[in-house]
Amino acid sequence: MPDTRARWTPLYAVTVIVGACLLFLVQPLIAKIILPWFGGSSAVWSAALVFFQACVLGGYSYAHWLSSPASNNRGPRRQSLIHAALLIVSCLMMPILPSEALRPDGTGDPALQILLLLTVTVGLPSLMLSATSPLLQVWYMRRTGSEPPYWLFAWSNAGSLLALLSFPLVLEPAFTSRTLALGWSALFVVFCVLCTGIAFLNSKQPLSEAAVASDAVDKARAPAPTMGRMVLWVLLSACASGLLVTVSANLSANVAPIPLLWVVPLALYLLTFILAFSHHRIYHPTWYFPLVALSLGGLAYLYTQRLENWPIQYVVPAYLASLFVICMACHGELVMRRPAGAYLTRFYLLVSLGGVLGGGFVGLIAPNIFDTYIEFPLLLVLIAELYVMLQWYRRGSRRTLLLIRVAMVLGVLTLMGELLRSELQDRRLSVLVQRNFYGVLSVQDDPISYELARRYLIHGTISHGYQYLHEELHRVPSSYFSKHSGVGLALTALQSEGPVRMGVVGLGVGVLSGYVRKGDYARLYEINPQVLEIADSHFTFLPAAKKAGDVEVLLGDARLTLERQAPQAFDLLAIDAFSSDAIPTHLLTREAFELYFKHLKPEGVLAVHISNRYIDLVPVCARSAQYVNRTARVVRSINDGTYDTSIWVIVTSNQELLARPEFQSSDTYEATAPESFAGWSDQYSSVWPLMHLRGTAHATAAK
């Protein structure tokens, strides 16, 4: 019988690549679309990663069920009909634009809400895309009688990598989210036509004699994988997946929850799959052993020094290089233990199960059972122990082998000891440590003997504000909100004319509520309920403000809350909802500015805090201010030892306010944007043109 391998290879390869591209395009696309609904938190990407890993597990399970030997009583025709029917149903779910009815109302667990929203919107299409690679590999192998086509798995990951890199670099800067969603939906229908065609061909032609012979040889010669080997498949996959999620969360939480910093770690993760599965000789334990040791040590050092705020041009490459080396080692060890063709779908199924277990533990379980990011050091220790176990039996003389084993044991013990010391030290320095979906919050005190001793609220790698511990300084506005800051200058000027109605997006420790006097009205919007608890119990700004004026804190995402409220007629609305250097982009779009001015008086003032080390947000505010026909002015205040450096943009039509001497000093200037910069909207926002890895000009000048 003629070999049909060459005849069918292009069709199978194209379909697998297209399916992989679509699967890994939809991940950053749908995550970006729903990001504003959940406060712009980087945890949205962690939950999305877990969801799509679960889709991969579901797709592989479906492929295993549909094509395993136990299902052969259904025959190729019935298998093809089942798959084609599900493809048609998934086409009926197009386009992939989330329904407004799925918007969160501010109650319930955000992670579970994200999983439900994604399930309803892209669940079945993602399941079908995930099943494509393993299912078509089995159909190809049976049709051509070839060896297990692991190269198709490598091509699948290559398609995924192409999609991931094209999204932030090509597609996101050029198209709106709605346009991309509609385009993706159209391409998905084309993919379903291709895949249905293959299913039709599969139903019409019986298995080739070569395929039957190959399957018989596999069963005769290859014993079933042992339980120990299958457990190793799961553990290796779980370690790589867990490390991917925790590194991605760390990067996006401290820079910006944007597709660029989501997809680069995932792209490297996929690249290790491509390299490992394309040729088994690419990974060699002897070469990678010292690299893995250096990478584990480097990640441990970065974790213990995470509050140092080192430049991202050094930290990000260090994280990414370490992630690549460790994932390459995990996936290389997987390839060394891959099974014969008869157990192909079982292998993929257990690898995907490990991915879900690792990602789910880091993204969903850890935030609910740990009060710090302790899953990161735990994962590093687990990887070290697992890799040592795999490298325990090496070639060489007895003396050399003994020295290597001693070095490996000492290395693991040193890693464990240093991470434990760091964790205990952090806890000793903290008055309180709490964690939820939005991250870890800790309250820390300076020694009371310091003249300017302070109590800080730490979120991520930055202070969310602080209060002086000595009684005589308790009410002094501090950190980024001093009377010399942009918001402080505006509030002081407005209060000189009488009682003020003010709104504040982002509570922090409540420093801005310290401006409230008798007769003032203040509404503070905070998405994280733990921040409110801490501001009420460990700081005095908010409790004192509630006694002085009409003050209330409203929980939930500020934009969603403001959209539901009647116009508030604020004199001033302050926007300070940043976490570390991460940017809630949905709070800076032109639609957001339009909403803010619906809640401001005609001469009201919008004060936007844009202090950021790496992203210049002045052009964004300038364009959004132009959209609402207002003047925007940048106000810089420089650290003098009693308050922190801050950069605010004051947006208003109140020219009398802007004409005051304090707004005409050398530290203030008009906010402008390059002609080529179009600004941000709810459908389009990209920080790539605004990034400065060596620091923004505004931040550098403010140092």
Side-chain angles (χ1 to χ4, degrees):
M1 188 171 184
D3 184 6
T4 60
R5 190 177 312 176
R7 177 184 175 187
W8 295 112
T9 295
L11 179 60
Y12 280 82
V14 168
T15 306
V16 165
I17 292 172
V18 172
C21 283
L22 288 172
L23 179 61
F24 282 85
L25 272 178
V26 76
Q27 296 188 30
L29 174 58
I30 195 69
K32 182 181 180 180
I33 291 174
I34 69 172
L35 186 65
W37 294 7
F38 296 91
S41 170
S42 62
V44 172
W45 179 241
S46 296
L49 270 178
V50 175
F51 171 81
F52 285 105
Q53 287 173 334
C55 285
V56 171
L57 174 61
Y60 285 10
S61 300
Y62 162 74
H64 179 70
W65 168 80
L66 192 65
S67 60
S68 64
S71 70
N72 280 344
N73 60 331
R74 288 188 289 272
R77 178 179 174 81
R78 185 167 295 184
Q79 292 178 27
S80 300
L81 286 175
I82 292 172
H83 194 61
L86 289 175
L87 288 170
I88 293 171
V89 173
S90 63
C91 284
L92 299 178
M93 300 177 66
M94 299 296 107
I96 55 163
L97 292 169
S99 168
E100 290 293 320
L102 296 173
R103 277 181 177 253
D105 58 6
T107 61
D109 186 345
L112 295 179
Q113 292 174 338
I114 291 170
L115 296 179
L116 175 62
L117 187 156
L118 294 175
T119 299
V120 172
T121 307
V122 296
L124 183 58
S126 298
L127 194 74
M128 291 293 97
L129 290 170
S130 300
T132 300
S133 178
L135 184 60
L136 265 60
Q137 285 183 60
V138 172
W139 285 356
Y140 177 88
M141 183 173 59
R142 289 177 177 174
R143 175 171 298 281
T144 65
S146 69
E147 293 294 321
Y150 286 107
W151 55 269
L152 267 179
F153 187 65
W155 275 106
S156 170
N157 284 294
S160 305
L161 181 61
L162 174 65
L164 282 173
L165 294 179
S166 67
F167 186 84
L169 299 179
V170 179
L171 299 177
E172 185 195 19
F175 302 100
T176 66
S177 298
R178 179 178 177 82
T179 300
L180 289 174
L182 294 175
W184 187 95
S185 302
L187 286 175
F188 179 78
V189 174
V190 173
F191 160 79
C192 288
V193 172
L194 281 174
C195 211
T196 302
I198 290 181
F200 176 77
L201 293 175
N202 183 69
S203 68
K204 289 297 183 181
Q205 297 184 7
L207 298 178
S208 69
E209 295 177 3
V212 173
S214 175
D215 195 47
V217 169
D218 274 340
K219 291 179 181 178
R221 294 183 179 177
T226 64
M227 180 60 67
R229 173 158 293 198
M230 290 190 291
V231 169
L232 269 180
W233 293 346
V234 173
L235 283 176
L236 288 167
S237 178
C239 286
S241 173
L243 191 64
L244 166 67
V245 175
T246 192
V247 167
S248 300
N250 197 295
L251 291 178
S252 58
N254 295 321
V255 181
I258 57 174
L260 178 66
L261 292 177
W262 292 340
V263 304
V264 173
L266 183 54
L268 289 175
Y269 174 84
L270 289 174
L271 181 59
T272 63
F273 263 121
I274 296 169
L275 295 175
F277 279 84
S278 61
H279 200 291
H280 67 278
R281 292 183 180 178
I282 289 180
Y283 168 78
H284 195 286
T286 302
W287 305 338
Y288 271 84
F289 180 75
L291 294 177
V292 171
L294 286 173
S295 298
L296 288 171
L299 287 178
Y301 185 74
L302 289 172
Y303 176 78
T304 58
Q305 304 295 317
R306 60 193 178 280
L307 295 180
E308 295 298 322
N309 278 325
W310 289 345
I312 63 171
Q313 61 264 39
Y314 306 121
V315 173
V316 171
Y319 267 111
L320 295 179
S322 299
L323 174 69
F324 175 82
V325 168
I326 294 173
C327 288
M328 190 68 203
C330 290
H331 295 151
E333 294 289 340
L334 270 177
V335 170
M336 291 176 64
R337 292 161 177 80
R338 65 190 186 279
Y343 309 103
L344 180 69
T345 56
R346 184 190 303 185
F347 173 67
Y348 287 139
L349 178 61
L350 291 177
V351 168
S352 63
L353 174 62
V356 172
L357 292 178
F361 173 75
V362 172
L364 299 179
I365 298 175
N368 292 298
I369 64 174
F370 299 138
D371 55 11
T372 68
Y373 293 117
I374 196 171
E375 69 272 11
F376 194 7
L378 288 177
L379 189 59
L380 294 180
V381 171
L382 174 61
I383 293 171
E385 292 177 342
L386 180 61
Y387 203 65
V388 164
M389 182 187 72
L390 293 175
Q391 304 304 316
W392 191 256
Y393 297 100
R394 297 166 59 95
R395 294 180 180 178
S397 66
R398 182 174 297 181
R399 170 181 281 185
T400 302
L401 192 58
L402 177 61
L403 291 175
I404 291 175
R405 288 176 175 176
V406 170
M408 289 192 295
V409 172
L410 290 177
V412 172
L413 292 176
T414 301
L415 180 69
M416 294 173 61
E418 183 60 24
L419 290 171
L420 179 61
R421 181 202 61 78
S422 174
E423 189 70 23
L424 294 176
Q425 182 180 7
D426 287 348
R427 290 181 179 275
R428 282 197 301 268
L429 295 174
S430 300
V431 177
L432 173 75
V433 180
Q434 290 184 345
R435 183 182 182 183
N436 62 7
F437 175 81
Y438 301 102
V440 174
L441 296 169
S442 64
V443 177
Q444 298 182 5
D445 287 352
D446 286 333
I448 197 65
S449 58
Y450 288 7
E451 182 180 356
L452 295 176
R454 302 162 179 173
R455 168 166 288 182
Y456 301 84
L457 174 61
I458 306 296
H459 186 191
T461 61
I462 67 154
S463 164
H464 248 354
Y466 55 79
Q467 184 172 28
Y468 292 109
L469 291 175
H470 295 299
E471 189 65 33
E472 64 273 16
L473 299 175
H474 246 22
R475 293 278 290 173
V476 174
S478 55
S479 59
Y480 314 109
F481 317 102
S482 72
K483 292 190 176 183
H484 301 277
S485 67
V487 68
L489 293 174
L491 264 175
T492 302
L494 293 171
Q495 286 180 329
S496 68
E497 300 174 0
V500 170
R501 292 176 64 89
M502 62 183 289
V504 178
V505 175
L507 174 61
V509 303
V511 179
L512 281 176
S513 68
Y515 283 91
V516 173
R517 310 162 307 173
K518 186 176 181 180
D520 287 342
Y521 173 98
R523 292 295 178 267
L524 298 98
Y525 302 86
E526 175 56 50
I527 195 171
N528 190 345
Q530 287 187 353
V531 170
L532 174 57
E533 295 172 7
I534 292 173
D536 257 335
S537 60
H538 287 76
F539 298 86
T540 65
F541 289 118
L542 185 59
K546 289 179 178 178
K547 295 177 182 178
D550 183 358
V551 178
E552 184 181 1
V553 180
L554 303 176
L555 288 174
D557 178 74
R559 264 199 70 172
L560 299 181
T561 304
L562 287 168
E563 287 171 359
R564 292 191 290 262
Q565 284 185 312
Q568 297 294 297
F570 291 131
D571 294 295
L572 179 139
L573 178 60
I575 311 297
D576 178 54
F578 292 22
S579 170
S580 190
D581 283 313
I583 302 164
T585 55
H586 69 298
L587 296 180
L588 298 178
T589 63
R590 62 191 187 189
E591 292 89 351
F593 273 48
E594 188 174 39
L595 174 64
Y596 300 151
F597 278 96
K598 286 181 180 179
H599 289 279
L600 283 162
K601 294 178 180 178
E603 296 291 303
V605 177
L606 175 66
V608 185
H609 187 199
I610 64 165
S611 302
N612 197 284
R613 290 177 296 168
Y614 304 110
I615 302 174
D616 180 9
L617 296 171
V618 170
V620 179
C621 294
R623 284 285 180 257
S624 294
Q626 287 178 0
Y627 181 76
V628 294
N629 299 313
R630 299 303 198 279
T631 300
R633 194 158 188 85
V634 180
V635 180
R636 293 187 295 130
S637 59
I638 310 301
N639 185 338
D640 74 344
T642 61
Y643 56 84
D644 294 335
T645 294
S646 67
I647 304 173
W648 289 78
V649 176
I650 305 301
V651 184
T652 185
S653 61
N654 189 340
Q655 297 304 317
E656 291 184 6
L657 176 75
L658 295 179
R660 295 171 68 103
E662 54 266 39
F663 287 101
Q664 297 298 319
S665 69
S666 60
D667 288 330
T668 71
Y669 50 91
E670 182 182 356
T672 60
E675 291 185 7
S676 60
F677 182 69
W680 286 358
S681 69
D682 285 350
Q683 292 298 321
Y684 173 84
S685 60
S686 175
V687 303
W688 182 246
L690 306 172
M691 290 192 72
H692 303 270
L693 295 183
R694 295 185 179 277
T696 65
H698 308 283
T700 303
K703 287 183 181 179

